[in-house]
Amino acid sequence: MSLSIKKYAAIDIGSNAIRLLISNIIEDQGKETQFKKSSLVRVPIRLGADTFTVGQISERNALRMIEAMQAFKLLMSVHGVEKYMACATSAMREAKNGAKVVAMVEETTGINIQVINGKREAAIIASTDLHQLIENDKTYLYVDVGGGSTEFTVFSEGKIVLSRSFKIGTVRLLDGLVSETMWKQMELWVKETLKPYKRVSLIGSGGNINKIFKMSGREMGKPLSYIYLNAQYQFLQSLTYEQRVSELSLNPDRADVIIPATRIYLSAAKWSRAQKIYVPKIGLSDGIIKTLYFEKKNKKKKK
């Protein structure tokens, strides 16, 4: 019996937080490859609060980021990770000193960071394992809400139809940096793109929708309803920031962004006329692990 277990890691440098995901990749002959989360570490370094307001990453946050990368490097070593990829999204992409910070991180820690654009981000997220969820005869709007941007991917008949990234994210919204025009553009794109399709379901990914799903107490695989999400949105808004931290036990860096995030998911559901929101608990980190795995597999095939 040939069982092979490998450890891969993904570093996701987002606008609201930085994550390290370590996964076991289990290959067993004749069976489907399994991807099992071994460890997930999340550090609340809100890079977007710098970039979206003053245009660059502060010295303090650059140093915190270097320390986080040093810690991640040690964790990967202890876990015996053999392959990893680090990706940075909108906060790093738009920071005037983004390239300088990337160079500092590489110089200090040896970790090479790929600063990816919205299209590549959407493609990596879409490479996650959605086939258990997606039914071939249905249409889905996949919505990934981050701190700096929201990625949309339309799936129909089991295939990707179109992807689009908008500079509307939770940290930007909190800082009042999203104009009415930008909202209108996003609304028009969703409505126009989904016009040919009769019934659409939403797939939500990102830390905030995962938290709402957890709070709902629903079983994995069961969708949230539009009505439930709307009620949650009203409820969250009715509480103060302090109440969201103390009564709902939300992390301090989650308690503020959860409201603008819910607004984005709710708007996407309304524009697409979706009544159901599936939350498969996947995101960019999972996509990075899959990308690494399939790249290695394709290289082997070519040899």
Side-chain angles (χ1 to χ4, degrees):
M1 191 175 161
S2 57
L3 184 76
S4 139
I5 302 170
K6 293 184 177 72
K7 273 198 177 177
Y8 282 7
I11 298 172
D12 166 11
I13 300 158
S15 306
N16 189 41
I18 295 175
R19 290 172 195 81
L20 168 71
L21 169 68
I22 297 172
S23 276
N24 287 317
I25 297 171
I26 304 157
E27 289 181 304
D28 195 354
Q29 229 170 3
K31 290 182 183 173
E32 200 175 332
T33 304
Q34 287 183 305
F35 296 83
K36 291 203 165 170
K37 286 182 188 181
S38 171
S39 170
L40 178 66
V41 181
R42 180 178 179 277
V43 189
I45 302 172
R46 198 168 276 184
L47 298 175
D50 290 342
T51 303
F52 308 142
T53 53
V54 293
Q56 61 179 16
I57 291 156
S58 65
E59 196 179 330
R60 179 174 175 265
N61 274 342
L63 291 171
R64 286 173 77 206
M65 193 175 149
I66 287 167
E67 285 178 341
M69 292 299 138
Q70 284 168 330
F72 286 0
K73 186 106 193 247
L74 288 169
L75 282 168
M76 289 193 291
S77 171
V78 171
H79 276 273
V81 167
E82 59 180 87
K83 212 170 167 53
Y84 75 90
M85 182 157 95
C87 290
T89 53
S90 55
M92 207 63 150
R93 195 160 63 224
E94 292 172 40
K96 278 188 282 218
N97 61 343
K100 191 180 164 190
V101 173
V102 166
M104 274 164 64
V105 168
E106 187 158 19
E107 208 177 294
T108 320
T109 68
I111 290 175
N112 171 263
I113 298 167
Q114 292 182 35
V115 181
I116 58 172
N117 61 25
K119 202 167 181 189
R120 172 95 167 122
E121 186 177 350
I124 291 174
I125 293 163
S127 75
T128 51
D129 201 8
L130 290 170
H131 73 264
Q132 292 140 318
L133 186 69
I134 285 177
E135 292 176 43
N136 285 345
D137 57 344
K138 291 188 178 164
T139 302
Y140 299 88
L141 176 63
Y142 186 110
V143 186
D144 181 77
V145 176
S149 63
T150 294
E151 268 60 55
F152 289 109
T153 305
V154 178
F155 288 89
S156 191
E157 293 174 7
K159 292 184 179 69
I160 295 174
V161 178
L162 204 59
S163 280
R164 178 81 191 261
S165 177
F166 287 90
K167 284 186 184 179
I168 296 179
T170 57
V171 179
R172 272 193 225 268
L173 282 164
L174 278 182
D175 291 328
L177 299 167
V178 178
S179 68
E180 211 42 59
T181 314
M182 286 163 85
W183 269 106
K184 207 75 203 144
Q185 278 174 353
M186 193 158 81
E187 179 182 349
L188 277 172
W189 185 85
V190 172
K191 285 181 173 174
E192 286 298 312
T193 307
L194 294 170
K195 206 182 256 177
Y197 307 101
K198 275 194 173 71
R199 294 183 69 177
V200 177
S201 289
L202 220 67
I203 299 171
S205 80
N208 293 293
I209 196 85
N210 287 345
K211 190 73 197 173
I212 287 169
F213 186 83
K214 200 176 173 185
M215 281 156 62
S216 78
R218 278 169 175 72
E219 294 170 50
M220 273 308 280
K222 294 271 184 281
L224 298 173
S225 67
Y226 174 81
I227 292 166
Y228 174 82
L229 194 62
N230 193 24
Q232 274 300 94
Y233 182 55
Q234 306 303 331
F235 170 62
L236 287 164
Q237 278 189 307
S238 74
L239 302 175
T240 63
Y241 171 79
E242 288 75 15
Q243 285 173 320
R244 292 194 292 273
V245 172
S246 63
E247 291 171 30
L248 301 182
S249 304
L250 292 178
N251 282 338
D253 72 304
R254 172 78 64 220
D256 53 357
V257 290
I258 199 163
I259 289 178
T262 311
R263 184 185 167 196
I264 296 172
Y265 291 113
L266 209 50
S267 301
K270 189 180 166 187
W271 301 332
S272 60
R273 304 179 307 281
Q275 294 302 314
K276 290 176 179 173
I277 299 106
Y278 291 92
V279 186
K281 214 176 172 192
I282 48 176
L284 185 66
S285 307
D286 305 83
I288 292 170
I289 301 272
K290 293 268 162 62
T291 302
L292 281 173
Y293 173 73
F294 289 115
E295 272 176 5
K296 196 167 185 188
K297 226 177 165 183
N298 292 338
K299 270 182 195 165
K300 271 187 187 170
K301 273 184 192 171
K302 280 175 188 171
K303 277 181 182 176

